[in-house]
Amino acid sequence: EIVLTQSPGTLSLSPGERATLSCRASQSVSSSYLAWYQQKPGQAPRLLIYGASSRATGIPDRFSGSGSGTDFTLTISRLEPEDFAVYYCQQYGSSPVAFGQGTKLEIK
Amino acid sequence: EVQLVESGGGLVQPGGSLRLSCAASGFTFSSYWMSWVRQAPGKGLEWVANIKQDGSEKYYVDSVKGRFTISRDNAKNSLYLQMNSLRAEDTAVYYCARDLMTGSGLNWFDPWGQGTLVTVSS
């Protein structure tokens, strides 16, 4: 069973800055089957990235994903006010699918 | 617009039962696997169960096997989760989600419903 560890737990940044969020897997994730989701308070998660680097429909290009094997990164190039939220990674390369514990991106 | 709307959550005593529903619209429901994913208060996400397009295959996380049953009615574009023998640790927001699948049958989720809160407490 793959365990995903996200870091940092909380990231404090200002609008306009660059955000780099990490997701590390306990074993290699097959075929880079890794997704990223954004969740705002009181809302459902929203798919941002799948296949480690493919943006979901309607996701702005300031969001990008990268990585392979055990190390994956979500980068937000220039933070907009609406980007402050909790971000989760999820692996679907092996059973059972699993989520990381989340990174909270907060306004500094 | 693709939409998923859950209902049926509420307060239930330990050992009790509850049936969640999810109404789908805006896509061909019968063409997709569907899942339930839950989130305990202040916690992360946990996949609970999923079901194949025709209902012939169902999978569950170990912690709910034998207690929860996922089902669907393609004629009504609806997904269900029957939850029996509920425990305090089942307290969570339950989300309905459409599965997107790899060739090996593993899944990621898009979109998600708004969720329905299940509270198990005496």
Side-chain angles (χ1 to χ4, degrees):
Chain A
E1 183 172 330
I2 294 179
V3 176
L4 300 178
T5 303
Q6 293 186 239
S7 61
T10 302
L11 184 58
S12 299
L13 294 170
S14 300
E17 290 192 293
R18 180 185 187 91
T20 302
L21 287 66
S22 174
C23 177
R24 178 161 290 177
S26 59
Q27 306 169 43
S28 182
V29 177
S30 173
S31 302
S32 295
Y33 284 150
L34 190 109
W36 289 93
Y37 301 87
Q38 176 194 67
Q39 187 178 34
K40 297 179 181 180
Q43 295 187 18
R46 178 174 71 143
L47 177 69
L48 299 175
I49 301 287
Y50 63 96
S53 60
S54 297
R55 268 188 304 276
T57 302
I59 301 304
D61 60 9
R62 65 180 181 274
F63 290 91
S64 63
S66 63
S68 64
T70 60
D71 290 300
F72 298 87
T73 300
L74 175 69
T75 302
I76 310 171
S77 58
R78 284 179 55 87
L79 285 165
E80 297 287 343
E82 62 268 27
D83 297 337
F84 292 92
V86 179
Y87 291 83
Y88 292 96
C89 57
Q90 179 225 339
Q91 73 81 20
Y92 52 98
S94 63
S95 180
V97 300
F99 294 90
Q101 84 281 10
T103 289
K104 182 180 181 180
L105 178 56
E106 66 176 22
I107 298 177
K108 187 174 182 180
Chain B
E1 178 193 4
V2 176
Q3 194 170 15
L4 299 168
V5 180
E6 300 93 336
S7 60
L11 175 64
V12 61
Q13 292 188 340
S17 298
L18 212 55
R19 188 194 195 210
L20 306 183
S21 299
C22 170
S25 60
F27 67 103
T28 305
F29 179 73
S30 59
S31 296
Y32 289 87
W33 284 72
M34 296 293 297
S35 278
W36 289 97
V37 181
R38 67 184 177 183
Q39 185 172 36
K43 301 296 184 181
L45 300 163
E46 179 183 41
W47 170 80
V48 173
N50 68 346
I51 184 169
K52 193 176 180 178
Q53 290 92 329
D54 61 1
S56 61
E57 294 182 37
K58 305 174 184 182
Y59 299 95
Y60 301 90
V61 68
D62 285 348
S63 59
V64 309
K65 283 179 182 175
R67 300 189 299 122
F68 290 12
T69 302
I70 190 172
S71 63
R72 65 192 296 162
D73 185 335
N74 288 341
K76 295 182 177 180
N77 289 337
S78 292
L79 177 72
Y80 306 101
L81 186 67
Q82 177 67 43
M83 302 186 295
N84 298 330
S85 303
L86 282 160
R87 306 166 180 168
E89 55 265 34
D90 296 318
T91 294
V93 174
Y94 285 73
Y95 296 101
C96 163
R98 185 176 67 176
D99 285 9
L100 300 175
M101 309 290 282
T102 69
S104 54
L106 297 174
N107 50 326
W108 71 107
F109 311 102
D110 183 48
W112 302 54
Q114 87 290 348
T116 187
L117 176 62
V118 173
T119 303
V120 184
S121 175
S122 55

